[in-house]
Amino acid sequence: MSNPDEHVLLNFVAGEWKRSTADAYQGVVNPATAEVLASVPLSAASEVDEVVRAADRAYRSWREVPVVERVQPLYRLKVLLEEHLDELARTTTLECGKTFGESKGELQRGIENVEVACGMPSLVQGWTNEDVARGIDEHVFRQPLGVVAAITPFNFPGMIPLWFLPYAVATGNAFVLKPSERVPMTTQVLFRLIEQAGFPKGVLGLVNGGKDTVDALLDHPLVEAVSFVGSTPVAKYIYRRATANGKRAQCQGGAKNPAVILPDADLDMGTRILADSAFGCAGQRCLATSVVITVGEAREGFKERVVQDALSRKVGFGLAEGVQMGPVITAASRERISGLVDQGTKEGAKLLVDGRGLAVDGDEYRNGYFVHPTVVDEVDPASTLARTEVFGPVLSLMHAEDLNEAIELVNARSFGNQACVFTSSGAAAREFRTRARAGNIGVNLGVAAPMAFFPFSGWGESFFGDLHAQARHGVEFYTQTKVVIERWPASWSRQF
Ligand code: NAD
């Protein structure tokens, strides 16, 4: 059955769409207009129990399905996602605010994870030694865990669930998703496609909600593993509570990503790439560059160019023609961003471009949560603005005399999601990539997002756990190894 009332969002339990019995609902808001698009239930613990128990029942037979058969619904899902790309992207833009092109881009990265997981027959292979002693062989098998859950953030409603879901089910687990309550509509479209892809009922479940819904998943005895992406304080909380309950956990947190520009860099290319990194998706990417550290003579050239770029960027509704940047997610987020810029100037920084309080074209967008690109210079590395994740289109500039000082500034942060360097020197790039403390490094790149066949790394306060999302790390996270040692004495074969 498809959704009977598209304004009230549904859960997907045991392969059926189900209206929640929750007491509390929350509005889903278009951040470009402040208009309420739909109503999302904050599901209760009893509903979490229902979806997890259905997943557990489905898991018992799903894990026995040969891996070559388990990946067949994923092949179908890939085709369905491609066929419905525009519908998914429009939905993402409406609820999340990013441009239509950005929404399509994130979905494409999600689809790539489905493609990689289709290779599970090879990825999940164990290993074997024959004759570890006379007549004795030893093997490692990978077996699924059971029911696994993912809790995802607002900024990539299409891609981030697909960092986990394909690997979890292809390895033989059942999977329950709790999407962000701020952007739950993309997931409704995704699960309509999942319904058509032909997974057995219950293998994939969807439960909408907020903190109480998450806590019920973290405490449920049948949930074996938890994948989380979101802010650092919540990532820490989820990691602690999940692991205290004996579950595996991989929790990706927030970021504060620096980029270093050396004097030998191609400044035109570097500025274009870094402005896209800082202002793309309205700065609401965990791989957005938030601090640029210019070295030596790069200082003035970069400053002039990035100011021009910031002033020229067209801001507006993400589905409108020519718009390069949408709104931020909520009014509270806009106020928070504005407050951090004020704090920065109080602590000595200089505003080069102030993007706050500016209107966008179109009367229907006058209530939207827009912040235009903002550039702040001479930011003190010890200031609040330098240390706090802004998650908005605000670029802070710092300066260093040489590469060594720049790397020290990079490594003075508690976050470790990404660090980038712009240079035409291989030796400088090599030194940077060796010494910079971050899980994802970009050389002449501004958004060093790992492809689906590499793990999405993250260090320090940006990641809690050991196995990351995507690719082999995903396979290892969702499986446990079983070691089998067998003795088959040759003398026994003589009886045949
Ligand atoms: P968030 O932490 O507010 O919410 C993420 C999820 O956690 C949501 O599903 C939400 O319902 C749930 N949640 C929120 N508060 C909770 C609580 N107190 N207890 C239990 N569950 C709770 O994050 P967000 O604002 O949706 O997303 C933005 C953040 O995500 C940024 O910090 C960004 O850097 C980070 N992020 C990180 C990565 C990465 O790969 N490291 C990727 C994307 C986003």
Side-chain angles (χ1 to χ4, degrees):
M1 183 184 78
S2 63
N3 188 342
D5 176 355
E6 61 184 16
H7 294 297
V8 175
L9 305 185
L10 304 177
N11 292 334
F12 191 67
V13 185
E16 307 287 339
W17 288 102
K18 200 164 175 201
R19 186 140 179 169
S20 168
T21 52
D23 298 332
Y25 277 74
Q26 184 172 310
V28 182
V29 176
N30 177 347
T33 59
E35 165 205 6
V36 176
L37 300 166
S39 179
V40 63
L42 303 180
S43 303
S46 58
E47 297 179 274
V48 170
D49 184 55
E50 198 186 349
V51 71
V52 170
R53 286 191 189 282
D56 183 55
R57 285 192 297 278
Y59 159 71
R60 286 161 202 281
S61 38
W62 180 242
R63 61 156 295 163
E64 289 171 4
V65 174
V67 63
V68 284
E69 286 176 40
R70 282 202 304 257
V71 295
Q72 296 310 316
L74 286 174
Y75 280 107
R76 291 193 287 273
L77 181 61
K78 168 187 153 61
V79 173
L80 286 162
L81 287 165
E82 285 169 343
E83 286 172 357
H84 292 80
L85 195 68
D86 283 6
E87 181 192 357
L88 281 156
R90 282 180 65 82
T91 311
T92 296
T93 293
L94 282 177
E95 66 179 353
C96 184
K98 60 179 68 171
T99 66
F100 186 57
E102 289 169 343
S103 296
K104 281 172 87 159
E106 73 153 286
L107 285 158
Q108 189 52 47
R109 303 309 297 266
I111 291 169
E112 286 160 14
N113 277 285
V114 178
E115 291 169 356
V116 171
C118 285
M120 199 54 71
S122 312
L123 287 171
V124 82
Q125 281 173 341
W127 62 95
T128 289
N129 272 65
E130 203 177 31
D131 288 321
V132 288
R134 275 181 201 284
I136 297 182
D137 306 325
E138 189 163 345
H139 320 270
V140 167
F141 298 107
R142 290 198 172 279
Q143 296 195 335
L145 305 176
V147 180
V148 298
I151 299 145
T152 51
F154 83 81
N155 63 331
F156 286 101
M159 175 182 76
I160 291 184
L162 294 174
W163 278 357
F164 306 111
L165 182 159
Y167 302 99
V169 295
T171 47
N173 300 280
F175 177 88
V176 175
L177 177 66
K178 203 299 288 173
S180 167
E181 64 276 38
R182 286 186 267 176
V183 292
M185 289 167 56
T186 305
T187 321
Q188 298 275 304
V189 184
L190 173 65
F191 269 73
R192 273 204 279 111
L193 304 180
I194 281 170
E195 195 181 10
Q196 291 170 44
F199 292 95
K201 286 179 187 299
V203 164
L204 283 155
L206 168 67
V207 61
N208 287 289
K211 176 174 169 46
D212 292 348
T213 320
V214 171
D215 286 348
L217 281 168
L218 300 177
D219 293 344
H220 200 293
L222 290 176
V223 173
E224 300 290 344
V226 175
S227 303
F228 171 83
V229 183
S231 58
T232 290
V234 182
K236 273 186 189 170
Y237 163 77
I238 288 186
Y239 188 74
R240 286 200 191 108
R241 189 151 171 171
T243 52
N245 285 333
K247 303 181 194 316
R248 278 189 188 189
Q250 49 176 194
C251 298
Q252 298 180 221
K256 182 86 193 170
N257 303 310
V260 171
I261 306 201
L262 295 177
D264 64 353
D266 178 333
L267 272 191
D268 288 331
M269 180 187 86
T271 309
R272 194 168 20 84
I273 289 174
L274 282 172
D276 282 341
S277 172
F279 308 134
C281 296
Q284 298 174 123
R285 270 192 295 224
C286 66
L287 296 181
T289 296
S290 152
V291 177
V292 166
I293 304 161
T294 49
V295 173
E297 292 151 27
R299 185 178 200 162
E300 292 309 317
F302 178 74
K303 207 193 307 188
E304 278 162 30
R305 286 170 175 81
V306 82
V307 163
Q308 285 316 311
D309 188 293
L311 290 170
S312 71
R313 225 153 253 256
K314 186 164 169 56
V315 181
F317 176 41
L319 293 178
E321 199 63 36
V323 163
Q324 293 167 292
M325 195 183 105
V328 297
I329 189 70
T330 57
S333 180
R334 184 185 54 193
E335 302 324 316
R336 202 182 138 273
I337 293 164
S338 179
L340 279 165
V341 174
D342 281 339
Q343 182 68 25
T345 54
K346 271 187 211 137
E347 293 181 67
K350 293 194 172 46
L351 256 176
L352 294 182
V353 182
D354 188 354
R356 299 169 299 166
L358 302 176
V360 301
D361 291 345
D363 205 34
E364 61 273 45
Y365 307 120
R366 68 180 184 284
N367 295 325
Y369 314 133
F370 293 99
V371 182
H372 289 240
T374 297
V375 183
V376 192
D377 195 16
E378 296 180 36
V379 174
D380 179 347
S383 68
T384 310
L385 180 59
R387 287 181 292 109
T388 312
E389 179 176 39
V390 178
F391 226 53
V394 177
L395 183 63
S396 295
L397 306 187
M398 295 179 192
H399 188 70
E401 289 310 314
D402 56 25
L403 176 60
N404 187 52
E405 188 188 337
I407 293 175
E408 279 172 11
L409 284 171
V410 165
N411 289 346
R413 301 151 308 124
S414 55
F415 295 106
N417 224 31
Q418 171 187 279
C420 297
V421 67
F422 286 75
T423 179
S424 52
S425 156
R430 189 171 187 277
E431 180 167 359
F432 182 87
R433 83 166 195 229
T434 307
R435 288 176 54 199
R437 282 204 288 269
N440 301 297
I441 299 288
V443 177
N444 295 314
L445 284 167
V447 180
M451 296 295 288
F453 31 91
F454 286 92
F456 191 107
S457 196
W459 288 13
E461 295 277 291
S462 298
F463 183 73
F464 305 92
D466 39 27
L467 294 165
H468 296 88
Q470 298 196 148
R472 284 186 188 281
H473 275 213
V475 178
E476 287 178 35
F477 182 76
Y478 289 126
T479 54
Q480 51 198 337
T481 45
K482 180 175 275 182
V483 182
V484 177
I485 309 180
E486 298 179 300
R487 183 197 301 276
W488 297 109
S491 57
W492 291 7
S493 66
R494 291 196 197 110
Q495 33 184 302
F496 300 108

